[in-house]
Amino acid sequence: MNEVSILITLATVHFIALMSPGPDFALVVQNATRFGRQTGIYIALGLSLGILTHAIFSVTGVSYIVHQHPTLFALLKGAGGSYLLYLGLGALFVTWKHWRVPSASIVADNAMMLANKRLAFCRGFMTNLLNPKALVFFISLMSSLVPVGMSTVGKSAALIIIWGLSFTWFAMLAWLLTRPAMQSGLRRISRYIDMLCGVVFTLLGATILYQLVMINFVMT
């Protein structure tokens, strides 16, 4: 298989994975709906750079070393699970606190939370970077589709494709969710979106931490 075929296959597999619902998707939906297009775009940028970081780590072998080192991988899983749990419980708390408050008032009260471009970017970046499933996915993706002997140009092209597809997908999602016709409708149900995303983040974080505790329990 030549490098062009490899890159096409890589792009196809990665794009299919991007469309699968997960914490990245939920983060864009939740925050673009509540805080607007600019916040959604900066979260998309953060997510895409987190994905690029995982891809670079996989190509250079750093991710493989982390995955093969039980202590390092356990620390990553603990940090990732804790962060997702923090996002989930935070979303649920805000939803409960403002349940009887009009959605427009909640947006105004919480606008400073993610209106800041840096905060939006950091939330996107950390959500992906600390996701242990992303690390495992890219180890599998890169090791199976990017041969060790691939040229530097080919590997660089692979990284650019992965970042470009990631940013385009999440930015397009943020743009679609914040179109005026859709935004007005989504704002009315934003509390339910927050609640659903909070449940998703909480369950994902709790599951990761539970698995980590059980693995350590079995090993001891």
Side-chain angles (χ1 to χ4, degrees):
M1 184 181 293
N2 59 43
E3 293 191 353
V4 174
S5 299
I6 290 172
L7 293 175
I8 293 173
T9 304
L10 180 70
T12 303
V13 173
H14 180 57
F15 189 66
I16 292 172
L18 284 173
M19 291 189 291
S20 303
D24 295 349
F25 184 91
L27 190 71
V28 174
V29 171
Q30 179 193 19
N31 291 287
T33 299
R34 181 167 293 285
F35 300 107
R37 181 169 297 174
Q38 185 180 74
T39 293
I41 295 297
Y42 274 91
I43 284 179
L45 180 61
L47 288 170
S48 64
L49 288 179
I51 290 171
L52 176 61
T53 302
H54 275 298
I56 292 173
F57 284 168
S58 296
V59 168
T60 57
V62 173
S63 292
Y64 180 79
I65 294 173
V66 172
H67 188 243
Q68 294 301 310
H69 197 293
T71 302
L72 287 176
F73 192 54
L75 287 173
L76 175 65
K77 291 183 71 174
S82 299
Y83 187 69
L84 289 174
L85 191 61
Y86 161 75
L87 291 179
L89 293 177
L92 291 176
F93 175 75
V94 170
T95 303
W96 171 78
K97 181 179 178 182
H98 297 284
W99 186 257
R100 296 185 180 276
V101 180
S103 295
S105 299
I106 299 174
V107 173
D109 290 341
N110 294 329
M112 291 306 296
M113 287 176 57
L114 284 178
N116 185 294
K117 298 175 184 178
R118 184 172 61 182
L119 289 178
F121 169 81
C122 289
R123 179 160 295 189
F125 182 73
M126 295 302 294
T127 298
N128 186 272
L129 188 67
L130 293 178
N131 186 352
K133 292 184 179 181
L135 180 141
V136 175
F137 169 76
F138 278 103
I139 290 176
S140 302
L141 182 69
M142 294 302 190
S143 62
S144 59
L145 293 181
V146 179
V148 177
M150 191 175 191
S151 68
T152 302
V153 173
K155 290 180 179 179
S156 299
L159 295 176
I160 292 172
I161 289 172
I162 286 173
W163 175 81
L165 283 176
S166 303
F167 178 71
T168 300
W169 167 248
F170 290 122
M172 183 179 67
L173 180 62
W175 181 81
L176 289 173
L177 290 171
T178 52
R179 294 180 64 190
M182 183 171 287
Q183 185 76 3
S184 59
L186 290 174
R187 283 284 175 85
R188 288 195 292 270
I189 61 171
S190 61
R191 70 190 69 218
Y192 300 103
I193 294 174
D194 281 346
M195 182 174 65
L196 178 60
C197 291
V199 169
V200 170
F201 288 133
T202 300
L203 289 178
L204 286 173
T207 300
I208 291 172
L209 293 177
Y210 174 77
Q211 292 174 344
L212 182 61
V213 170
M214 291 305 296
I215 290 174
N216 289 333
F217 177 77
V218 172
M219 292 180 63
T220 57

